[in-house]
Amino acid sequence: GFTKIARDMTQRQKAEEAVREAAVRLKAIVDTAVDGIITIDEQGNVESMNLAAERIFGFSRDEVIGLNISMLMPEPDRSEHGRSLINYLNTGQKGIIDTYREVVGLRKDGSPFPMELAVSETRLGVRRIFTGIVRDITATKTALEERTRLVAELGAERALLNSLLDNAPVGFGFFDQDLRFLRLNPALADMSGASARDLLGRTLPDAIPALSSGFSQ
């Protein structure tokens, strides 16, 4: 005789299709992300790398996957990384795991650059993988350094101007449209017999009548 067993595969097929769709969506999200996303295994070897990470570091995925992540770090971080990872696996002391901080990366052309790095850990059964999210902050650092430089230059120029005004043998003053003092030097204040601080906000005719009679706005 014969025995025939029938099994409805509809639910299983739907579940498999849902998993495939989720994987496709996840890949699309990772590949279109602005920030670089890199995953490594417990030995520090790269398992995946998105397009943004390729642009940031200048390497293609094929050049990096399977190699140690330390290749994307300059010294001394390159030498320290392996020991830090081993120390975490042995002791549980997280170090950079679950943190967000500024570090230095290394491009394919050998140039170092500042970047922000966030590292998280995921367990897949008995395996552990680590995901790093990288953001190149070269432009931000450059803009901040330029702003700092300009502020320093303006501060130096303002200090020089103040020194020239304060030590000038002739009177200098700056007024608003109502002839109220905005700034005046000691030489001009001496003409009224008051201090420069006391004259701020007062009008020229009120503070120094002798000068205001011939003043033209």
Side-chain angles (χ1 to χ4, degrees):
F2 298 92
T3 300
K4 181 177 182 181
I5 299 176
R7 181 176 299 166
D8 187 352
M9 303 293 290
T10 304
Q11 292 302 318
R12 179 176 176 180
Q13 290 172 347
K14 287 182 178 180
E16 291 176 348
E17 182 63 24
V19 171
R20 284 194 293 268
E21 289 180 0
V24 171
R25 285 197 299 271
L26 178 59
K27 185 177 186 302
I29 292 171
V30 170
D31 281 343
T32 57
V34 175
D35 295 331
I37 301 175
I38 302 174
T39 62
I40 65 172
D41 61 19
E42 294 174 83
Q43 286 71 49
N45 298 323
V46 178
E47 292 192 344
S48 68
M49 182 178 191
N50 73 343
L51 295 176
E54 287 185 319
R55 291 192 296 270
I56 291 173
F57 290 97
F59 288 97
S60 68
R61 303 179 202 192
D62 293 340
E63 293 176 296
V64 176
I65 290 177
L67 301 180
N68 196 275
I69 189 67
S70 62
M71 67 180 292
L72 303 179
M73 307 172 188
E75 293 292 359
D77 294 339
R78 176 177 294 186
S79 299
E80 290 294 329
H81 180 264
R83 288 192 288 270
S84 298
L85 183 57
I86 292 172
N87 181 66
Y88 167 65
L89 295 174
N90 290 336
T91 67
Q93 296 179 354
K94 291 188 173 183
I96 67 170
I97 308 299
D98 293 334
T99 63
Y100 188 78
R101 66 177 185 170
E102 184 178 322
V103 296
V104 178
L106 187 67
R107 302 189 200 277
K108 183 178 180 179
D109 63 9
S111 60
F113 67 97
M115 67 181 191
E116 290 179 341
L117 172 66
V119 180
S120 61
E121 178 187 1
T122 303
R123 290 182 179 270
L124 299 176
V126 296
R127 292 186 65 230
R128 287 189 284 190
I129 63 172
F130 303 91
T131 301
I133 299 178
V134 176
R135 176 173 297 173
D136 184 353
I137 57 173
T138 302
T140 303
K141 292 281 285 188
T142 301
L144 180 60
E145 290 170 356
E146 178 65 11
R147 182 176 177 228
T148 302
R149 184 186 66 80
L150 290 175
V151 168
E153 289 183 358
L154 288 173
E157 291 178 2
R158 180 176 296 177
L160 177 60
L161 176 61
N162 288 337
S163 177
L164 291 173
L165 288 175
D166 289 342
N167 294 288
V170 295
F172 285 97
F174 301 91
F175 314 90
D176 62 15
Q177 65 271 19
D178 299 319
L179 295 184
R180 293 184 183 277
F181 280 110
L182 298 174
R183 171 82 164 83
L184 69 158
N185 69 344
L188 184 57
D190 288 343
M191 297 178 186
S192 72
S195 68
R197 176 178 297 179
D198 291 337
L199 295 178
L200 290 178
R202 294 176 59 183
T203 63
L204 176 62
D206 175 48
I208 313 179
L211 288 178
S212 62
S213 60
F215 186 86
S216 58
Q217 187 169 359

